[in-house]
Amino acid sequence: MKAWRAWVELWDRREPATALALVRIFVGLCLLGDLLVVERYGLVDVLWTPPPEGLGYGATKELWSVRWFGASAETGRLLWWIGVASSAAFTVGLGMRVAAVVMVLVSAQLGLIAPGGDRGIDVALRVFAFVLALSSCHARWSIDAIIRRKLGRPFPALVPAWPRYLLFAQLVWIYFSSGHNKSEPEWWPNGEYAALANAMSDPHFARFSPEWVPYVWPLPAIATAVTMLFELGAPLLLLLVWFEATAERPGRIRHWCNRWRVRWIWIALGVAFHVGIAIFLRLGIFPWGMLALYPVLLRADELVRAEAWVRQRVYPRRS
């Protein structure tokens, strides 16, 4: 019974909606920005129009959008507009729950129409958005919150924390499973940790000319090895969080991890990892989509202090 009560208390905890609100904004911006980039490059009709005019070879009559509107360029364009509108509404928190569901359904539908353009990060962002739809991520920094305050029915100061825990677990699982899926020799000592060097030398993915890569060896190999340690060690992040939450308990490992802020080292590695990808490789919204989830790695009290620090710098008290 003691263990059961502890389990119930864990999932019934309340905290400020800051982390979930930040994730909502970042996820919405990723999806909205991705759709706008597709339009910028003139690929809306190419991706979501059936052959021979486009590449939408997945546009079949089994899809609800095709049954309702037909398999045509106009259907792809209509879905794009709905995706843009719902992503924007989700980002600003206007009818958040409805916007989230519509955004997820449209994104999934576009992925089914053009399977070749539906990436792993698109699937992950749909999962994130669905979890957020079940949360109170619109309790802060949203139009919904403003409207409710005007009506005299504001959101509570503390909201359920379980959606943040679920997103936290999702992020850990993505990294851990990603590490297990890297089975090619280039990710391991027998392949001389050449994976990142190969990626930065591939003209399809590399953002710069590969001529500079040999001159910085073995830095790419070190980065590859650190990447594998980072991803395969992701479940240890749960232990590090527990160590910090129980800092008053004895234990050399707990004391050492808390003293040297190992959790923050892991977070910094993740930020450096994704920023490095964004700088050196062309992988679309993948690095930004993953970083969009990083606010859930911070404790509520850390976000409160960070927000107070920002407010003090932006709106300093007048003497």
Side-chain angles (χ1 to χ4, degrees), residues 243-251 254 258:
F243 280 168
E244 290 193 358
T246 58
E248 72 284 353
R249 296 185 182 181
R254 175 184 283 104
N258 291 339

Side-chain angles (χ1 to χ4, degrees), residues 43-57 73 113-114:
L43 296 176
V44 173
D45 296 331
V46 175
L47 283 175
W48 299 306
T49 300
E53 292 83 7
L55 301 176
Y57 53 85
I113 293 175

Side-chain angles (χ1 to χ4, degrees), residues 63-70:
L63 303 179
W64 61 262
S65 60
V66 175
R67 290 201 307 268
W68 292 359
F69 307 112

Side-chain angles (χ1 to χ4, degrees), residues 236-273:
L236 295 177
L237 187 60
L238 301 174
L239 185 62
L240 296 175
V241 171
W242 183 65
F243 280 168
E244 290 193 358
T246 58
E248 72 284 353
R249 296 185 182 181
R252 292 183 179 180
I253 297 178
R254 175 184 283 104
H255 176 72
W256 186 88
C257 289
N258 291 339
R259 177 182 178 184
W260 294 101
R261 299 182 179 272
V262 179
R263 179 175 67 94
W264 281 100
I265 294 175
W266 192 94
I267 294 174
L269 282 174
V271 173
F273 172 60

